[in-house]
Amino acid sequence: MQNLRFAEVNYDSDVDKRHLLTLLNEYATLPIGQGKPIAEDRLSSLWENLGRRRLWVHAFLGYIDVEAVAMAITIEGFSTFQGEPLLNIHDFFVSEPWQGRAVGTTFLTHVIEYAKNSGFGKITLEVLSENVRAKHLYRRLGFSPYSNPIGGSAEFWQKWLGK
């Protein structure tokens, strides 16, 4: 996908805001997301909350011409055992009309290059066990489930703190 343009989100841009929130909401409405749009009150504060964390939360958009077709929201972390920063891909999405057209491969390759060029030593991500297409993409680009011969496979757990 040679004509895919990769851009880091500018939190001062209303255009970037519209593009990122539109793609994020499209992702949320899918069964593999949460099956419904993001609540309006949450959506209205999301952009400001991301922007307040701009030093360690990086969002990216992929464009074909002027159409935003892909997005990634990443969060900086740290690998204590390796002693170097890591980049966690928290959300990764290609708009449905563009899926199956190498956009995901090209876009994720840009995210990987960004991480390498920015001095990150590792990229982590989460993927649902039934998201076969995403798992196939991630494996093709060198990702694999984390496991340890003694401790077994890593699991991604959560606890809601209720607001």
Side-chain angles (χ1 to χ4, degrees), residues 91-160:
D91 292 302
F92 184 86
F93 176 69
V94 174
S95 184
E96 282 197 293
W98 292 94
Q99 291 178 10
R101 298 166 73 179
V103 171
T105 300
T106 303
F107 190 64
L108 186 52
T109 299
H110 282 297
V111 174
I112 293 167
E113 285 304 309
Y114 169 86
K116 283 181 186 176
N117 294 336
S118 299
F120 293 97
K122 175 168 93 169
I123 299 176
T124 61
L125 54 79
E126 60 199 66
V127 60
L128 294 171
S129 62
E130 300 304 314
N131 195 343
V132 176
R133 290 180 72 188
K135 289 167 77 170
H136 179 70
L137 168 63
Y138 301 150
R139 284 189 203 292
R140 271 192 303 106
L141 292 179
F143 290 85
S144 60
Y146 174 77
S147 65
N148 175 297
I150 304 297
S153 297
E155 298 176 6
F156 188 80
W157 289 26
Q158 67 181 8
K159 174 186 167 103
W160 291 103

Side-chain angles (χ1 to χ4, degrees), residues 1 3-9 16 19-20 23 59-72 92-95 98 103-104 106-108 110-111:
M1 178 69 35
N3 59 349
L4 179 76
R5 183 172 55 87
F6 178 76
E8 188 163 2
V9 163
D16 285 3
H19 289 164
L20 186 72
L23 285 167
F60 304 96
L61 291 164
Y63 290 94
I64 304 242
D65 298 321
V66 295
E67 183 181 357
V69 300
M71 65 104 205
F92 184 86
F93 176 69
V94 174
S95 184
W98 292 94
V103 171
T106 303
F107 190 64
L108 186 52
H110 282 297
V111 174

Side-chain angles (χ1 to χ4, degrees), residues 20-92:
L20 186 72
L21 295 182
T22 297
L23 285 167
L24 188 60
N25 215 22
E26 180 184 344
Y27 179 30
T29 61
L30 298 174
I32 205 80
Q34 62 181 8
K36 61 183 180 183
I38 297 169
E40 194 59 44
D41 61 325
R42 295 226 182 231
L43 196 59
S44 66
S45 65
L46 186 93
W47 182 256
E48 288 76 22
N49 281 326
L50 287 171
R52 279 197 281 276
R53 291 156 178 83
R54 71 178 71 205
L55 293 177
W56 44 274
V57 175
H58 310 281
F60 304 96
L61 291 164
Y63 290 94
I64 304 242
D65 298 321
V66 295
E67 183 181 357
V69 300
M71 65 104 205
I73 298 174
T74 66
I75 303 168
E76 291 187 24
F78 195 81
S79 173
T80 51
F81 291 171
Q82 297 301 312
E84 56 190 7
L86 64 83
L87 190 67
N88 175 262
I89 299 172
H90 184 71
D91 292 302
F92 184 86

